[in-house]
Amino acid sequence: MICSILLLIILTSCVSGTFVVNVTQTSYQAEENHHITLEWTFTTNPHTSSNSLNIFCELFTDLRPSVLFHLHEGVEVPESQDEQFAGRVQWDKDVLREGRLRLHVSRLRTEDTGLYKCQVITSYGRNSGKCWLNVTAAADEPKPQRPTVRPEPESLGNIWILYAGLAAAAVAAVLLILYLKRLFVFNPCLSYCSCNYMLTSKFSY
Ligand SMILES: *[C@@H]1O[C@H](CO)[C@@H](O)[C@H](O)[C@H]1NC(C)=O
């Protein structure tokens, strides 16, 4: 009895010990809107088909875990996938048989940053591997906003120059009118003298 329990413990530790899930890279660095390939490797067994393969990949952040990829008995389960990754994850079916899980994540977002854990469950063992992904914000993002903002103060300045010009023209016109009025209407001497001169010159004949 004791012998059989010991044998069972040795066998299970042996089986679970032989099945490993590795990561090719422990940490990845990428920029927003770019794409990345995360890769895991796991022990293969030539005697079992890929139909017995179950993979569950999750992203762990401060907020909540979200499902990145789910393979059930060799078939992908898109319904399990979190909407955060909908339409952005592709996997290499060909290399899976070689014990390589390659996940291509496109159009990266800053919220994709976190710990990625893939759990591989087979009929001959189970294990998991983790890697870290850091997505940085695109550096050139605020640039396109500036040229659209710039023309506004310029056009505003043009409007003010136009107003100032119109005001100056109006002031000049008023001053000219006042000057002409003073010259001919409000100067009694000028009008009287010229009139008097005209009269006297008329009567002299
Ligand atoms: C996992 O990594 C170990 C140590 O680097 C290596 O010996 C082993 O072959 C790897 N296994 C797989 C399946 O990648």
Side-chain angles (χ1 to χ4, degrees), residues 151-165:
E152 276 179 56
E154 271 176 35
S155 60
L156 258 173
N158 286 343
I159 286 164
W160 282 113
I161 286 164
L162 189 74
Y163 282 162

Side-chain angles (χ1 to χ4, degrees), residues 20 22 41-43:
V20 290
N22 290 344
T41 57
F42 55 91
T43 316

Side-chain angles (χ1 to χ4, degrees), residues 95-200:
V95 296
L96 200 71
R97 263 178 266 114
E98 303 162 17
R100 285 164 70 200
L101 172 65
R102 283 167 63 86
L103 297 178
H104 308 285
V105 188
S106 55
R107 300 190 302 280
L108 286 168
R109 305 169 185 171
T110 50
E111 60 259 38
D112 294 340
T113 297
L115 186 76
Y116 286 78
K117 182 185 172 185
C118 274
Q119 191 164 30
V120 184
I121 305 154
T122 65
S123 55
Y124 51 93
R126 64 152 73 192
N127 218 326
S128 66
K130 291 173 226 161
C131 65
W132 179 265
L133 172 66
N134 185 29
V135 183
T136 53
D140 57 339
E141 211 194 353
K143 273 179 190 168
Q145 290 179 346
R146 275 182 197 155
T148 57
V149 173
R150 250 183 222 149
E152 276 179 56
E154 271 176 35
S155 60
L156 258 173
N158 286 343
I159 286 164
W160 282 113
I161 286 164
L162 189 74
Y163 282 162
L166 282 171
V171 167
V174 166
L175 284 173
L176 190 73
I177 287 163
L178 284 174
Y179 176 74
L180 289 172
K181 263 189 169 178
R182 220 184 95 175
L183 206 65
F184 292 109
V185 182
F186 294 105
N187 195 334
C189 179
L190 193 76
S191 43
Y192 172 77
C193 290
S194 57
C195 195
N196 210 17
Y197 173 77
M198 273 161 80
L199 281 167
T200 47

